[in-house]
Amino acid sequence: MKTISVTTLGCKLNFSESSSIVREFVQNGFKKVAFGKQSDVTIINTCYVTAQAEKKSKFAVKKAKKVSPNGKIIVIGCAAQLNPEKFVKYDGVDFVAGTNFKFDIFNILQCNNEQKIFHSDVNEIENCDEAYSISERTRSFLKIQDGCDYHCTYCAVPLARGKSRNISIEEAVKNANIIAQKGIKEIVLTGVNIGDFGKTTGENFFQLIQELDKVEGIERYRISSIEPNLLTDEIIEFVANSKKFMPHFHIPLQSGSDDVLKQMHRRYNTNLFCQRIFKIKELIPDAFLGIDVIVGFPTETEQNFNETFNLLNDLPVSYLHIFPYSARPGTAASAIKESVPSEIIKNREIKLSELSDLKSYIFHKQFVGTTQSVLFEKIESDKKILGYSSNYIRVSVESNNDIRNKICNVKILNFENNIMNGIVLI
Ligand code: SF4
């Protein structure tokens, strides 16, 4: 039996797509093996969001060639779309498939002649390929949207993935039912700009979550990341009253300076952002709020950074995802002459991660002594099992039973090393 392996860099959307692409190979007689094991076909699903991610994509090709010298290596993903010539030169690469061809690679492999690059202009892409992950984890990444029309000045995603487009609500519900039939209890809605869902079908995100809420068998949904300007009151109110949509929001702020937000071409200001945060905390006090923030945008002054620090310091957020600015070729910001020295970026990153640790401690500490509903995912070590509460708290318990993929009530005893330890209530 032929074997296939895959390695995926980057976002949840990439994971959902890798899973669907490999599933077609498995449905056609291939056996999936772990990346790093010798395989007849290896797929490298690349990322372009930072220079570091692109470098990792290159190393993955080298590793694949080393472990499977006679195997076929196929490179897909955002870096492949933006730099096909570069990847096709790497030793061992059979062909590179851009954004519009990544779901055709099984067929391309069947009838491939000598063509090495399958590529087209992303702006020609109209359809949104369906994708979801089922086997890799207890939670599934369900792709609902792709591409983006925002063109924030630092971001290359629209260059790699094209215009905003989405599957229909009917297709999303169909895929959620398939995932439920596999016994998976949690779905993470994923895409590039998911709040923009509905643009190509005349529907909207609020309608989508109402329909998904009715799907039998799925007990939990998480909204991966949503733009502040698209996170409406009705969506927050719906999540507040839903038993299935979890009290967990991931919202990109990027900067706490309105001047910098303007130069990033973001579609909100700090006032709107704060309104969203306080609206959520008013209706869902226990909600987990993960916030994206970029440090070192080329024009960010010390004063701008202090505005960001002070704003986040004053807000009831739970965790900061901190990204040092990485200039991406082809983006408007990469043409900006000024730049922030790397040691200053490093210092700002350290300051914000210290703030994030404090926010995380304050957030988690308040749940000691409470009872939380936890979906268990992973056996950590002897008898220790790890899972997540509805509001995305990592919880570890001791158990003789394999309670993975089970939702149990847990009494939280303490918070140590960023993990809540508890006991399962029978
Ligand atoms: S909203 Fe902005 S940052 Fe997000 S994918 Fe679109 S262009 Fe990139």
Side-chain angles (χ1 to χ4, degrees), residues 367-381:
F367 297 106
V368 173
T370 67
T371 296
Q372 296 293 324
S373 150
V374 176
L375 170 57
F376 286 97
E377 299 188 4
K378 208 167 77 177
I379 295 180
E380 257 195 307
S381 62

Side-chain angles (χ1 to χ4, degrees), residues 168-303:
S168 66
I169 291 179
E170 190 189 341
E171 287 165 327
V173 168
K174 175 201 73 183
N175 290 336
N177 275 303
I178 292 170
I179 294 165
Q181 278 144 29
K182 301 284 178 192
I184 289 179
K185 294 186 175 65
E186 182 169 310
I187 284 178
V188 180
L189 302 180
T190 188
V192 171
N193 189 349
I194 66 172
D196 205 30
F197 175 93
K199 193 163 237 175
T200 48
T201 52
E203 301 163 317
N204 66 44
F205 188 72
F206 182 51
Q207 292 164 341
L208 171 71
I209 58 177
Q210 289 173 81
E211 292 310 312
L212 287 173
D213 202 58
K214 301 171 187 160
V215 173
E216 293 290 318
I218 300 297
E219 298 184 33
R220 295 176 156 202
Y221 290 96
R222 293 188 193 278
I223 298 171
S224 56
S225 172
I226 187 165
E227 294 295 311
N229 51 300
L230 296 173
L231 181 55
T232 59
D233 282 0
E234 61 184 0
I235 292 170
I236 297 171
E237 283 149 15
F238 182 81
V239 171
N241 298 312
S242 165
K243 287 196 174 39
K244 294 189 175 186
F245 276 79
M246 298 291 105
H248 173 193
F249 293 90
H250 184 159
I251 311 171
L253 167 66
Q254 308 307 22
S255 175
S257 153
D258 285 332
D259 289 344
V260 175
L261 287 177
K262 275 204 198 84
Q263 284 148 29
M264 288 175 164
H265 292 185
R266 300 291 284 158
R267 300 189 178 200
Y268 54 87
N269 58 22
T270 53
N271 184 31
L272 181 145
F273 182 84
C274 295
Q275 278 174 13
R276 302 288 103 212
I277 300 294
F278 290 123
K279 179 76 180 178
I280 294 168
K281 282 295 181 174
E282 175 205 328
L283 298 181
I284 322 170
D286 292 353
F288 182 100
L289 297 176
I291 307 298
D292 289 349
V293 59
I294 293 174
V295 282
F297 185 78
T299 59
E300 183 185 69
T301 62
E302 193 60 25
Q303 190 205 334

Side-chain angles (χ1 to χ4, degrees), residues 147-152 154-158 192-193 227 254 266:
C148 186
D149 298 339
Y150 277 22
H151 298 287
C152 302
Y154 54 84
C155 181
V157 176
V192 171
N193 189 349
E227 294 295 311
Q254 308 307 22
R266 300 291 284 158

Side-chain angles (χ1 to χ4, degrees), residues 54-114:
E54 203 186 348
K55 216 184 275 171
K56 283 185 183 162
S57 304
K58 180 181 161 191
F59 290 137
V61 172
K62 288 203 164 145
K63 181 172 178 184
K65 179 64 183 168
K66 194 154 165 260
V67 293
S68 309
N70 307 319
K72 289 188 178 302
I73 299 173
I74 303 167
V75 181
I76 63 172
C78 296
Q81 171 66 31
L82 292 170
N83 264 329
E85 286 80 17
K86 186 173 172 181
F87 283 96
V88 88
K89 290 198 193 92
Y90 292 151
D91 184 22
V93 170
D94 271 75
F95 65 86
V96 175
T99 302
N100 206 14
F101 295 87
K102 61 182 149 191
F103 285 91
D104 301 336
I105 59 174
F106 178 76
N107 297 329
I108 291 172
L109 205 57
Q110 305 317 304
C111 58
N112 187 26
N113 43 36
E114 296 312 306

